[in-house]
Amino acid sequence: MKRYTYIILCLCFSGICPAQQTVPEDPEPANDFTYTLASGQEGTLYALQSEWLLLYFYDPSCEDCHALMERLNASESINRLIGENRLLVLAVYPEEDTEVWLEQAEHMPPTWINGYDRGAGINREGLYPMQTLPALYLLDRDKKLCLKNATAEEVESKLKLVK
């Protein structure tokens, strides 16, 4: 019995345990950054105004990223809030290989904002610690981090509660 308890504890402390809480007790402010669109126009996270903002960090050549994008794009709660203009989805490639990014940019949902990080400052400065890609962060209207490195299930559960 002790061996199984040890394994479960190891899984939970390593971040694999599904019961691990990703909702901060006292939400901290999100870090601002600049993203670049395919048109070359730049925007900042803090300039986006919405009740909710879902940050989706991804790699255009990542199969898991494509699967998550499809799942999020099919989500009833996410699409409802986007349709009500209460949620923005900002997809960001946190690298600066624009050739790779541009090849896949047209495959992103048209209701999402899709950009890349010119200069790769998000990773270089550690603004959003990402263990792997894809990575999801959910922010409220005040740009407080409600979910960090969340799963699709956690994001959908949180947004289902929004009436």
Side-chain angles (χ1 to χ4, degrees), residues 25 88 119:
E25 289 182 26
L88 290 176

Side-chain angles (χ1 to χ4, degrees), residues 116-138:
Y116 71 94
D117 180 17
R118 181 180 293 163
I122 293 170
N123 282 333
R124 189 180 65 254
E125 297 171 23
L127 298 179
Y128 290 85
M130 294 172 254
Q131 298 163 343
T132 61
L133 291 177
L136 295 173
Y137 287 79
L138 183 65

Side-chain angles (χ1 to χ4, degrees), residues 16-83:
I16 297 171
C17 184
Q20 184 180 10
Q21 187 64 266
T22 60
V23 179
E25 289 182 26
D26 185 22
E28 60 191 81
N31 291 310
D32 198 11
F33 62 86
T34 300
Y35 58 89
T36 304
L37 302 173
S39 66
Q41 180 181 356
E42 293 185 337
T44 65
L45 176 75
Y46 271 57
L48 297 172
Q49 298 299 312
S50 183
E51 184 177 341
W52 295 97
L53 176 64
L54 180 60
L55 283 178
Y56 167 62
F57 292 106
Y58 75 103
D59 181 330
S61 60
C62 162
E63 289 182 27
D64 290 338
C65 297
H66 287 283
L68 179 59
M69 176 201 62
E70 290 175 10
R71 176 170 179 172
L72 295 173
N73 192 39
S75 169
E76 288 182 30
S77 54
I78 289 174
N79 285 315
R80 175 181 60 86
L81 291 171
I82 289 172

